């Protein structure tokens, strides 16, 4: 019991999970870029999609 | 800090809506910046929009997936999902509190003097349904005779699109008014409902409907920037409950998926330094921690 209390967690410690999550999604995004997806996003975004905004 | 947040919201809104020549061109911005996604909900058919809405872009990619695959293009939405995931991993729902233009609009609407009230807690789960069905499954699975899916959330629900894109375009291009029908009426009613609701309750769209907020909420426990509760300093005075615009009871659930990291609880409510901001587990801000209160004395 006494030994357990000696091994108290430090008040602040670097969390690694956020960095792994960011890395995983960065890789995902890079795969998307490599397939030319940004160009497709641009093509869609520069056109007014009337049905998308409830007109037509 | 609230003033700083308001300025950051305004700056972010102007950055993603930086094209102000639309009164002359009477059309939307068509430049290369639209290859970038906005971190918050910002319709790319808004005349001033200089970036793409991630939710709109994702639905369009899902809706056109079959066409794209038939022509050998594998547009699975990874670029957009990757961007959203990075934003979620770094800021999570702090995006809603600091960067989203529609969040700013709701914050300003809520300042209109009126009777104020809350939102039933159960309604918060609706937004996950909108994300799953209206953004992912319906555009992927419900196809027209040509094999194309529709952007269901944009088309049938999104009040941000009606307010910032539909109405301005109708004002600028009179020829479009002939095309207005029941679909627009449905969206117009939804928009009016959310405007009225935002005056009465704080951020109803973010709390009940926003699929982007639902996506960022998935990162609540693993995001880089988050608030932390020091339970040894907390006196359970519940002052943090009173100031939260999202109805979070921070001392009871410090990892609540609704927390938009507006810092109101930390700066305006907690007198005992029980709430602090951390980045990746490390504290930020040079505020020296106050001595832990004597809980027994405080309760008496």
């Amino acid at each position: 019991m006494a030994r357990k209390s000696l091994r108290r967690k430090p008040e602040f410690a670097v969390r690694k999970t956020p960095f792994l999550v960011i890395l995983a999604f960065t890789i995902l995004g890079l795969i998307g870029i490599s397939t030319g997806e940004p160009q497709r996003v641009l093509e869609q975004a520069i056109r007014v999609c009337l049905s998308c905004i409830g007109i037509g | 800090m609230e003033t700083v947040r308001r300025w950051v919201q305004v700056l972010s809104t102007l950055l993603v809506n930086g094209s102000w020549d639309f009164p002359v061109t009477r059309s939307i911005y068509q430049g290369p910046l639209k290859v970038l996604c906005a971190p918050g909900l910002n319709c790319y058919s808004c005349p001033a929009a200089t970036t793409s809405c991630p939710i709109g872009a994702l639905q369009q990619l899902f809706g056109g997936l079959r066409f794209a695959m038939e022509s050998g293009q594998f547009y699975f939405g990874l670029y957009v999902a990757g961007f959203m995931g990075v934003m979620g991993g770094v800021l999570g729902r702090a995006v809603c509190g600091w960067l989203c233009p529609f969040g700013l609009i709701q914050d300003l609407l809520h300042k209109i003097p009126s009777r104020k009230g809350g939102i039933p807690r159960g309604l918060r789960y609706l937004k996950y349904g909108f994300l799953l069905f209206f953004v992912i499954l319906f555009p992927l699975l419900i196809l027209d005779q040509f094999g194309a899916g529709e952007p269901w959330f944009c088309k049938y629900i999104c009040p941000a699109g009606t307010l910032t894109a539909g109405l301005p375009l109708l004002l600028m291009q009179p020829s479009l008014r002939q095309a207005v029908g029941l679909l627009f009426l449905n969206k117009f009613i939804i928009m009016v409902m959310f405007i009225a609701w935002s005056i009465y309750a704080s951020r109803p769209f973010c709390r009940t409907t926003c699929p982007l907020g639902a996506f960022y909420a998935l990162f609540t426990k693993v995001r880089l920037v988050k608030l932390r509760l020091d339970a040894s300093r907390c006196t359970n005075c519940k002052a943090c409950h009173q100031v939260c615009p999202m109805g979070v009871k921070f001392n009871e659930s410090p990892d609540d998926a609704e927390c938009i990291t507006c810092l109101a609880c930390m700066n305006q409510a907690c007198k005992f330094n029980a709430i602090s901001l951390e980045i990746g587990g490390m504290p930020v801000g040079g505020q020296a921690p106050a001595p832990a209160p004597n809980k027994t004395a405080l309760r008496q």
Side-chain angles (χ1 to χ4, degrees):
Chain A
M1 198 68 173
R3 196 174 269 186
K4 209 173 186 180
S5 66
L6 279 175
R7 271 197 248 129
R8 235 184 98 197
K9 270 183 158 179
E11 199 179 349
F12 287 100
V14 175
R15 289 184 294 118
K16 292 179 188 135
T17 328
F19 296 99
L20 294 174
V21 170
I22 293 164
L23 180 69
F25 278 97
T26 304
I27 292 168
L28 214 64
L30 290 174
I31 295 170
I33 290 172
S34 72
T35 60
E37 225 175 76
Q39 189 57 36
R40 182 79 191 111
V41 170
L42 180 65
E43 284 166 14
Q44 289 163 344
I46 59 175
R47 278 180 300 150
V48 179
C49 172
L50 291 177
S51 68
C52 306
I53 51 174
I55 304 170
Chain B
M1 188 52 80
E2 189 58 18
T3 313
V4 174
R5 186 172 76 92
R6 191 71 73 228
W7 277 108
V8 172
Q9 284 179 303
V10 171
L11 188 68
S12 165
T13 301
L14 291 176
L15 276 174
V16 296
N17 292 287
S19 173
W20 288 91
D21 59 351
F22 63 84
V24 180
T25 62
R26 294 187 169 267
S27 185
I28 65 168
Y29 167 76
Q30 296 179 321
L33 282 175
K34 273 201 169 163
V35 76
L36 302 172
C37 291
L41 203 73
N42 192 69
C43 184
Y44 52 48
S45 291
C46 166
T50 39
T51 50
S52 298
C53 173
I55 288 295
L58 208 56
Q59 289 169 87
Q60 293 277 14
L61 288 167
F62 288 157
L65 187 63
R66 292 189 189 208
F67 276 142
M69 286 182 76
E70 278 169 15
S71 54
Q73 295 163 323
F74 299 97
Y75 299 148
F76 296 116
L78 298 184
Y79 164 64
V80 182
F83 171 81
M84 287 163 63
V86 170
M87 291 307 298
V90 177
L91 294 170
R93 290 203 76 183
V95 171
C96 312
W98 291 75
L99 303 177
C100 180
F102 202 59
L104 171 64
I105 291 171
Q106 289 174 89
D107 279 350
L108 296 178
L109 284 169
H110 194 58
K111 285 191 175 294
I112 295 173
S114 75
R115 202 173 138 236
K116 305 293 179 193
I119 294 174
R121 267 180 91 75
L123 291 181
R124 56 160 62 184
Y125 301 106
L126 273 178
K127 59 181 175 288
Y128 300 99
F130 282 117
L131 174 65
L132 181 64
F133 292 103
F134 281 69
V135 175
I136 300 170
L137 293 181
F138 291 168
L140 272 173
L141 302 177
I142 302 177
L143 309 174
D144 62 16
Q145 68 265 39
F146 306 108
E150 287 182 330
W152 279 69
F153 187 77
C154 298
K155 188 170 179 177
Y156 298 106
I157 309 288
C158 187
T162 315
L163 184 66
T164 64
L167 288 178
L169 284 172
L170 284 177
L171 288 173
M172 287 192 322
Q173 300 180 12
S175 60
L176 288 180
R177 290 173 203 164
Q178 294 159 356
V180 168
L182 280 177
L183 185 61
F184 188 77
L185 185 67
N186 157 63
K187 285 200 65 179
F188 186 77
I189 291 169
I190 291 174
M191 183 199 74
V192 171
M193 189 198 81
F194 272 111
I195 288 176
W197 200 3
S198 299
I199 296 170
Y200 174 75
S202 175
R203 289 180 171 250
F205 179 75
C206 307
R207 290 160 76 175
T208 65
T209 312
C210 183
L212 190 55
F215 181 82
Y216 288 145
L218 302 175
F219 294 83
T220 297
K221 289 193 175 167
V222 296
R223 63 179 161 146
L224 202 61
V225 178
K226 62 190 284 195
L227 287 173
R228 173 192 165 105
L229 177 73
D230 184 343
S232 68
R233 290 181 196 283
C234 179
T235 61
N236 287 319
C237 67
K238 297 179 181 170
C240 50
H241 299 196
Q242 312 302 321
V243 296
C244 182
M246 300 294 281
V248 173
K249 296 175 178 174
F250 190 79
N251 67 320
E252 292 170 15
S253 56
D255 278 331
D256 196 302
E258 296 300 294
C259 175
I260 57 169
T261 325
C262 66
L263 310 183
C265 54
M266 186 176 102
N267 291 321
Q268 295 169 26
C270 188
K271 294 189 174 80
F272 305 103
N273 287 349
I275 305 171
S276 57
L277 186 68
E278 59 157 62
I279 297 180
M282 303 308 287
V284 287
Q287 202 176 22
N294 183 338
K295 291 186 181 182
T296 323
L298 281 163
R299 280 190 194 121
Q300 282 169 353

